[in-house]
Amino acid sequence: MAWIELEGAVNARDLGGLPTIDGGSTVHSRLLRSENLQELTPGDVSRLVEELGVTTVVDLRSTNEVTIEGPAPLDALSGVRHAHHPVLKEFLDVSDTLKAALLTESVEADRERYPDDPMCGHYLGYLENRPEEVVGALRTIATAPGAAIVHCAAGKDRTGVVVALALTIAGVEPEAIVDDYMATDDRLEAIVERLSRSRMYAGDITSRPVKAHAPRAETMKAFLEQLTVRYGGIDAWLTANGFGAAEVATLRARLRQA
């Protein structure tokens, strides 16, 4: 995992170089992750598109978030595809969208789904409530002609889950997936500061202390374990939701070193 230093995003990284269970590694400039991309500068856009080969943006935000935040700089480029896969339940009320996106309020369904760690329960909710969007995001990554950059608001929860699934398909060691998830903690204050300036998240993001937004390694470990406990493994979950063996092979090959 390598940080991508940008002026308009602080939680961007390239997921190349991660170790796989069989002794291989992931390839660079194929799968990138980030927070909200609204503040990218012309230099950032050049870095992502010309240097890193970004052809596809995988946007996991809700329709309300996309509408209120408005177009991002990468949207203006004809050679970059914007694929919208909202993995949260869609809400008519913007305040409900904010609560769900920023997790400023615990949801009873999350506790019921996984009492030991409601945040893990929240992540499992993406798979159970919006499987078509999760699978759609993975399919977009698999078929991107160049690098795909996955993002949500903070680049931690929704992005963390979709990236963890993609890396699991690629055979990345679980410890490395957890380490990548936890890397967001290194930039947490800067992420909160950025989101506090945005149209959508200003005010709500600062309603709790910065550390309240911090990722926990135990949450991602539990999520990865639950893929097996609840669904019989990631392949079984993917098959049940229309992502077949040929697509698994395509995504796996795309993310791994030849």
Side-chain angles (χ1 to χ4, degrees):
M1 180 274 296
W3 289 103
I4 303 170
E5 300 299 343
L6 303 170
E7 293 181 63
V10 296
N11 195 23
R13 46 195 191 265
D14 184 337
L15 299 173
L18 298 180
T20 58
I21 294 169
D22 60 1
S25 63
T26 53
V27 68
H28 288 279
S29 299
R30 291 285 173 81
L31 180 59
L32 316 179
R33 63 180 293 170
S34 181
E35 84 274 38
N36 180 313
L37 300 172
Q38 302 299 126
E39 295 184 354
L40 294 181
T41 66
D44 294 337
V45 171
S46 177
R47 174 91 193 281
L48 290 171
V49 175
E50 296 176 18
E51 294 181 31
L52 297 173
V54 168
T55 63
T56 308
V57 175
V58 182
D59 188 344
L60 305 177
R61 296 174 300 166
S62 68
T63 300
N64 277 336
E65 290 170 275
V66 172
T67 300
I68 292 174
E69 288 287 275
L74 283 174
D75 298 342
L77 300 185
S78 59
V80 177
R81 176 192 175 201
H82 183 277
H84 185 214
H85 297 290
V87 299
L88 273 175
K89 177 183 175 182
E90 297 275 27
F91 296 95
L92 294 177
D93 191 311
V94 172
S95 65
D96 289 335
T97 298
L98 277 168
K99 290 173 185 176
L102 301 178
L103 295 164
T104 54
E105 182 176 286
S106 296
V107 178
E108 188 60 33
D110 297 339
R111 294 195 194 94
E112 291 178 358
R113 194 176 290 113
Y114 194 72
D116 291 344
D117 187 338
M119 183 67 79
C120 177
H122 183 78
Y123 292 175
L124 293 168
Y126 304 158
L127 307 189
E128 296 177 5
N129 297 330
R130 304 287 279 180
E132 72 285 356
E133 297 296 352
V134 174
V135 164
L138 294 172
R139 187 170 288 128
T140 298
I141 295 168
T143 58
I149 184 166
V150 181
H151 82 94
C152 52
K156 175 174 75 79
D157 302 309
R158 290 168 284 184
T159 297
V161 166
V162 169
V163 163
L165 294 174
L167 295 178
T168 299
I169 292 169
V172 172
E173 294 179 357
E175 295 82 0
I177 295 173
V178 173
D179 287 346
D180 168 65
Y181 171 75
M182 288 301 298
T184 292
D185 196 46
D186 296 344
R187 305 286 176 95
L188 194 62
E189 290 188 7
I191 294 166
V192 170
E193 194 275 330
R194 275 204 64 241
L195 293 181
S196 69
R197 299 196 300 270
S198 76
R199 297 178 191 175
M200 181 75 186
Y201 316 109
D204 290 86
I205 191 70
T206 56
S207 66
R208 294 190 297 167
V210 170
K211 278 301 179 184
H213 301 285
R216 297 175 63 252
E218 294 79 9
T219 296
M220 182 52 68
K221 289 177 183 176
F223 174 77
L224 295 175
E225 290 168 357
Q226 288 299 304
L227 290 176
T228 299
V229 173
R230 286 177 177 247
Y231 314 117
I234 189 168
D235 287 343
W237 184 86
L238 291 168
T239 298
N241 289 285
F243 196 87
E247 291 182 298
V248 168
T250 297
L251 180 53
R252 180 180 170 86
R254 177 156 186 75
L255 297 183
R256 292 170 60 94
Q257 295 281 5

